Amino acid sequence: PGTKVKLELPSYFTLVSSNFYHRLSGAHGGSGVGLYTTELKASMPLPVSPAYGFWSAYAGVQYYHFINKGLLDGNEFALGNTRDQDVVQFHTGVTVFF
């Protein structure tokens, strides 16, 4: 019958209060939209007996746009002195449900 590939395009944004994220200085990061993101993800079932769970493989690319100043400070700390507002992440993996 062929392999079924599922495509997904999940998108979301966060709304935060002024004290949810903090800047490296300890000041509040600001309120409102903290970030928005969208992803293109493809997944397909793997041929594993249901006795061992339901397995699937996936691959995707996700785009993040950071707005909150506390998040931008966090990027600077975590990503090595960069305050990138736009980040792209590629990922792949296996999911198992029992």
Side-chain angles (χ1 to χ4, degrees):
T3 302
K4 294 181 180 181
V5 175
K6 180 169 87 172
L7 291 177
E8 299 174 75
L9 188 65
S11 301
Y12 66 89
F13 62 93
T14 62
L15 291 175
V16 297
S17 65
S18 63
N19 63 355
F20 191 79
Y21 294 114
H22 288 84
R23 303 201 60 177
L24 291 176
S25 67
H28 292 176
S31 62
V33 177
L35 71 92
Y36 62 83
T37 181
T38 191
E39 173 185 22
L40 179 60
K41 180 179 176 182
S43 60
M44 60 185 260
L46 295 174
V48 175
S49 169
Y52 299 107
F54 299 94
W55 294 59
S56 63
Y58 67 88
V61 58
Q62 190 161 4
Y63 164 76
Y64 297 88
H65 180 73
F66 297 97
I67 299 167
N68 184 277
K69 291 181 182 359
L71 283 174
L72 289 170
D73 277 6
N75 280 353
E76 183 175 7
F77 177 75
L79 300 177
N81 296 325
T82 180
R83 291 181 61 82
D84 291 340
Q85 275 192 290
D86 301 297
V87 176
V88 176
Q89 178 185 52
F90 297 91
H91 54 274
T92 185
V94 174
T95 303
V96 181
F97 291 98
F98 293 97

